[in-house]
Amino acid sequence: MDYIDKKEKEITKSCETEDWITSGEKIKEEIRQAAKKSTLKNKRINICLTEKDFKDIQVKAMEEGIPYQTLISSIIHKFNKGELKTDSE
């Protein structure tokens, strides 16, 4: 699960270690299923990048020890959550 951020990993771990208090097993299972579905990657896209951008992303991914596709997905995910700001903000 390298494609989820630190906070999401903490939440997942706390759920797995049963730190959460629920009102019943049914709700607990519904939450688990929703979390599992939210981490599924089911859409494939094609994008065109400049050679320099592609190489820079590959280098950054190697530094982070993750595949470059995972890094790109993480960047998009963080941007959508408002955690990654543009230069104009």
Side-chain angles (χ1 to χ4, degrees):
M1 291 199 291
D2 291 334
Y3 50 88
I4 61 175
D5 62 28
K6 183 179 177 182
K7 186 67 177 168
E8 290 169 327
K9 285 181 183 179
E10 291 172 5
I11 292 170
T12 301
K13 184 176 180 181
S14 70
C15 186
E16 290 170 354
T17 59
E18 299 187 35
D19 291 342
W20 292 66
I21 299 172
T22 65
S23 60
E25 286 300 313
K26 183 178 179 184
I27 293 173
K28 195 178 206 180
E29 184 58 29
E30 288 174 6
I31 292 169
R32 279 191 184 129
Q33 291 301 321
K36 189 175 183 179
K37 286 179 184 177
S38 72
T39 61
L40 294 176
K41 294 183 179 184
N42 58 3
K43 294 292 179 190
R44 185 175 295 268
I45 65 168
N46 293 319
I47 59 172
C48 292
L49 301 173
T50 65
E51 185 73 24
K52 182 182 180 337
D53 285 342
F54 181 67
K55 294 292 184 191
D56 290 346
I57 285 179
Q58 284 184 312
V59 168
K60 189 65 162 173
M62 283 190 278
E63 290 172 356
E64 298 291 322
I66 59 174
Y68 72 88
Q69 297 97 329
T70 302
L71 177 60
I72 294 169
S73 179
S74 174
I75 291 167
I76 292 169
H77 180 72
K78 288 177 182 176
F79 181 81
N80 284 339
K81 287 176 52 180
E83 296 174 2
L84 190 66
K85 304 296 181 187
T86 63
D87 290 338
S88 63
E89 291 183 43

